[in-house]
Amino acid sequence: MRNQLWFLIVIIALGLLLSIHSQAKIQSSVQSEIKATAANQIIELNKYLGGAEGKLNNKPALNFKFTNASGSPENTCSIITTDNYLRHSKNRLENINLSESNFYFDCQWNGTYYFLSNRYRTYAEVIIKQPDSQFPMSMHIEAKLVSLTGERVEIISGDISLRRKPR
């Protein structure tokens, strides 16, 4: 009986140690995620640089370029979408973890290339606001991208007019 009691105490102690170890790993993982989120860079786009025709997956596409108020030529973000996807998107372009092959978003910012990935949680969403008598066509952009080194960046914008302003 004494041996059974001792064996039961050892099993309970081992279970408690494993539980404490698991909780420590979970807490460490959560803290790492919080640090990674806190370290995210935020880029606010507010200037349309222009558009061009091109190709995406060998289909006719449109390419739109944006930057921020500084307008630095080495800091740009690009939207490229096929004509067909743009026409049938109901004014909302979306790509989550590279789920959409007809729409892509990336940025070249301060010497780092940021992109959509299927290995990390990334997404890009563009809401297109159609023109009316008061306002030109505009785009609202939100994205979370990653670099080759795992650095994350968040892209935000207000409504950016697609009318190019004279330089």
Side-chain angles (χ1 to χ4, degrees), residues 97-130:
N97 295 340
L98 290 177
S99 61
E100 178 53 62
S101 63
N102 295 302
F103 162 58
Y104 193 73
F105 183 83
D106 61 359
C107 296
Q108 182 72 40
W109 213 266
N110 294 331
T112 303
Y113 178 63
Y114 297 98
F115 54 93
L116 292 164
S117 170
N118 60 2
R119 295 184 64 189
Y120 296 92
R121 290 183 183 174
T122 60
Y123 78 93
E125 178 181 42
V126 176
I127 297 171
I128 301 164
K129 299 195 176 173
Q130 294 300 322

Side-chain angles (χ1 to χ4, degrees), residues 92 130 138:
R92 185 172 179 250
Q130 294 300 322
S138 64

